[in-house]
Amino acid sequence: MRVFDSSERALVTTQPEGEARMYVCGITPYDATHIGHASTYLAFDLLHRAWLDAGHEVFYVQNVTDVDDPLLERANATGDDWRALADRETERFKDDMIALGVLAPRVFMTAVESVPLVVEATQNLVKAGKAYLVATPDAQHPGRQDVYFDVTTDPHFGQVAKLSPEQMRETFAERGGDPDRPGKHHPLDPLLWRVAREGEPSWEGETLGAGRPGWHIECASIALRHLGMGFDVQGGGDDLIFPHHEMSASHGQVITGDAPFAQHYAHAGMVRLDGEKMSKSKGNLAFVSKLRESGIDPQVIRLAILAHHYRTSWDWTDENLAAAQTRLDRWKDALSRHEGPDPEPVLAAVREAVSTDLDAPRALAAVDAWVDEVLTSGGSVAGAPGLVARTIDALLGVRF
Ligand code: ZN
């Protein structure tokens, strides 16, 4: 199984020792799952399937950040209870993933569930002098302190994204970091523990005081607990490479004194709508649940996404859906027959395409070519459609 490692910037061969271990960062459940998210989870679903096909068990872990600033802001803005919002959207996300045929992670852990892990890890980092306290600007509660991680304690810091110091600082500020916060030792130091604020949910933090976890330590703690160091693939959308994956790796490395956090880093491209990146801030989102409610077969949505290579950025359009519907209809027609051309080359081609950097478009083209042959000239191998159907189900997650 080869995949493009965005840290090495090269195609690499994954080499799981027995069980393959994968961590893919989950959603912050304050809104429904859009096609961009779905596209990322479908990419790693192909990796999951390719490893299974290669004979590996797969230990797949995913988190869900069910308490975070955007979630609390959304709940406040709409007068919703943050827990109800998180639960509702997490359930909808699971329903969407099941409908799209995504194989479930073995562990699906929430930020709230990760609190004891984060508290333990953060206390240990403070004790070891690798994390420090920063006073909050809260005049009503003087003495309350947040906890920050000291990036200079990690000799490997910067090796995931391999950005220049200027790029790191710029990207950190763009993606939720706080380089200019007074009291920090280094502009890039990330938050580990946010001490309780008025009107915000908080959890018992032992010596840290009540508060809630930072995002990077949430993922690092969950990955360490379930996968341990040196797991095979850390995945996510390509906006996570920095700072999120850099910071999680750094936390893991400093907590354990070991490296690397993950053997490989793989990232999915962005999906655009009307030529712009699909994002909550722009409001240009195509939701999986809305498409399903409008009667579109989830298999069509899956095929529309798989028609694009996961590392490219592409536009979601109605034409994508129409083309996927046509493809599904043709496949169904061919697969409903009793005979067809030799199916073995299709199995080999789909297997080869998926195991070469998850090249779904090439896999679909191989199936299309076989389907064309069935629909134009038939074929004489009894049971061939059955083998092709099982190939499509196992490797591409499209069921008939
Ligand atoms: Zn994460």
Side-chain angles (χ1 to χ4, degrees), residues 23 25 63 215 219 234 244-245 248:
Y23 189 97
C25 293
N63 67 311
W215 178 35
C219 281
Q234 160 80 77
H244 185 54
H245 289 164
S248 292

Side-chain angles (χ1 to χ4, degrees), residues 53-74:
D53 182 51
H56 297 286
E57 290 293 315
V58 180
F59 200 134
Y60 176 17
V61 178
Q62 190 180 127
N63 67 311
V64 53
T65 307
D66 62 346
V67 58
D68 202 2
D69 295 344
L71 176 82
L72 298 174
E73 282 160 18
R74 174 64 65 90

Side-chain angles (χ1 to χ4, degrees), residues 190-259:
L191 180 75
L192 291 169
W193 186 252
R194 178 177 162 92
V195 78
R197 306 292 203 273
E198 214 54 52
E200 288 186 10
S202 61
W203 288 264
E204 175 51 46
E206 301 180 23
T207 59
L208 309 172
R212 59 183 165 96
W215 178 35
H216 316 308
I217 189 71
E218 169 198 334
C219 281
S221 302
I222 295 172
L224 286 182
R225 168 73 178 76
H226 293 288
L227 299 175
M229 288 296 281
F231 60 91
D232 295 285
V233 168
Q234 160 80 77
D238 65 6
D239 54 345
L240 296 190
I241 188 164
F242 195 88
H244 185 54
H245 289 164
E246 189 77 59
M247 297 301 180
S248 292
S250 196
H251 293 338
Q253 283 151 190
V254 169
I255 288 167
T256 62
D258 194 8

Side-chain angles (χ1 to χ4, degrees), residues 53-386:
D53 182 51
H56 297 286
E57 290 293 315
V58 180
F59 200 134
Y60 176 17
V61 178
Q62 190 180 127
N63 67 311
V64 53
T65 307
D66 62 346
V67 58
D68 202 2
D69 295 344
L71 176 82
L72 298 174
E73 282 160 18
R74 174 64 65 90
N76 280 337
T78 57
D80 214 344
D81 177 79
W82 69 271
R83 273 163 301 229
L85 172 63
D87 288 350
R88 194 171 65 236
E89 294 304 348
T90 301
E91 283 313 304
R92 184 146 61 172
F93 169 73
K94 287 181 183 172
D95 289 346
D96 285 344
M97 291 301 110
I98 291 166
L100 291 176
V102 173
L103 300 176
R106 192 181 298 179
V107 170
F108 185 76
M109 195 172 193
T110 70
V112 171
E113 288 166 345
S114 80
V115 165
L117 303 176
V118 170
V119 168
E120 187 191 352
T122 303
Q123 291 188 112
N124 288 340
L125 285 167
V126 172
K127 265 187 233 152
K130 310 215 160 149
Y132 58 92
L133 308 174
V134 175
T136 68
D138 184 353
Q140 284 182 323
H141 300 93
R144 285 193 186 176
Q145 293 173 304
D146 295 328
V147 186
Y148 278 79
F149 176 73
D150 181 348
V151 295
T152 65
T153 63
D154 178 17
H156 304 283
F157 180 73
Q159 289 180 11
V160 173
K162 299 188 171 77
L163 301 179
S164 69
E166 295 72 32
Q167 288 171 320
M168 282 200 273
R169 185 167 167 143
E170 198 178 308
T171 313
F172 186 68
E174 277 169 15
R175 296 181 180 162
D178 52 359
D180 301 319
R181 177 161 175 186
K184 279 175 51 168
H185 296 179
H186 188 287
L188 296 176
D189 289 347
L191 180 75
L192 291 169
W193 186 252
R194 178 177 162 92
V195 78
R197 306 292 203 273
E198 214 54 52
E200 288 186 10
S202 61
W203 288 264
E204 175 51 46
E206 301 180 23
T207 59
L208 309 172
R212 59 183 165 96
W215 178 35
H216 316 308
I217 189 71
E218 169 198 334
C219 281
S221 302
I222 295 172
L224 286 182
R225 168 73 178 76
H226 293 288
L227 299 175
M229 288 296 281
F231 60 91
D232 295 285
V233 168
Q234 160 80 77
D238 65 6
D239 54 345
L240 296 190
I241 188 164
F242 195 88
H244 185 54
H245 289 164
E246 189 77 59
M247 297 301 180
S248 292
S250 196
H251 293 338
Q253 283 151 190
V254 169
I255 288 167
T256 62
D258 194 8
F261 180 63
Q263 301 293 341
H264 302 297
Y265 291 84
H267 293 99
M270 291 291 142
V271 181
R272 294 179 301 254
L273 190 67
D274 306 322
E276 285 201 86
K277 179 189 159 182
M278 216 181 270
S279 74
K280 283 171 185 168
S281 54
K282 292 200 182 94
N284 60 337
L285 301 169
F287 293 113
V288 175
S289 49
K290 284 230 175 86
L291 292 165
R292 287 168 52 212
E293 281 157 21
S294 72
I296 294 167
D297 182 344
Q299 306 273 59
V300 171
I301 303 172
R302 185 169 175 114
L303 277 175
I305 293 171
L306 294 183
H308 304 85
H309 191 266
Y310 80 101
R311 280 198 290 120
T312 60
S313 287
W314 53 279
D315 276 278
W316 178 257
T317 61
D318 289 343
E319 290 75 42
N320 283 318
L321 270 178
Q325 182 70 60
T326 303
R327 176 176 263 143
L328 186 71
D329 292 343
R330 287 173 59 78
W331 286 16
K332 271 187 183 160
D333 186 352
L335 293 170
S336 66
R337 313 214 176 170
H338 297 294
E339 293 178 338
D342 184 3
E344 293 292 343
V346 188
L347 169 59
V350 170
R351 191 172 258 160
E352 208 275 327
V354 174
S355 64
T356 307
D357 201 24
L358 313 172
D359 195 342
R362 197 147 58 83
L364 299 191
V367 177
D368 284 342
W370 180 88
V371 164
D372 285 346
E373 216 178 318
V374 176
L375 298 182
T376 53
S377 50
S380 58
V381 181

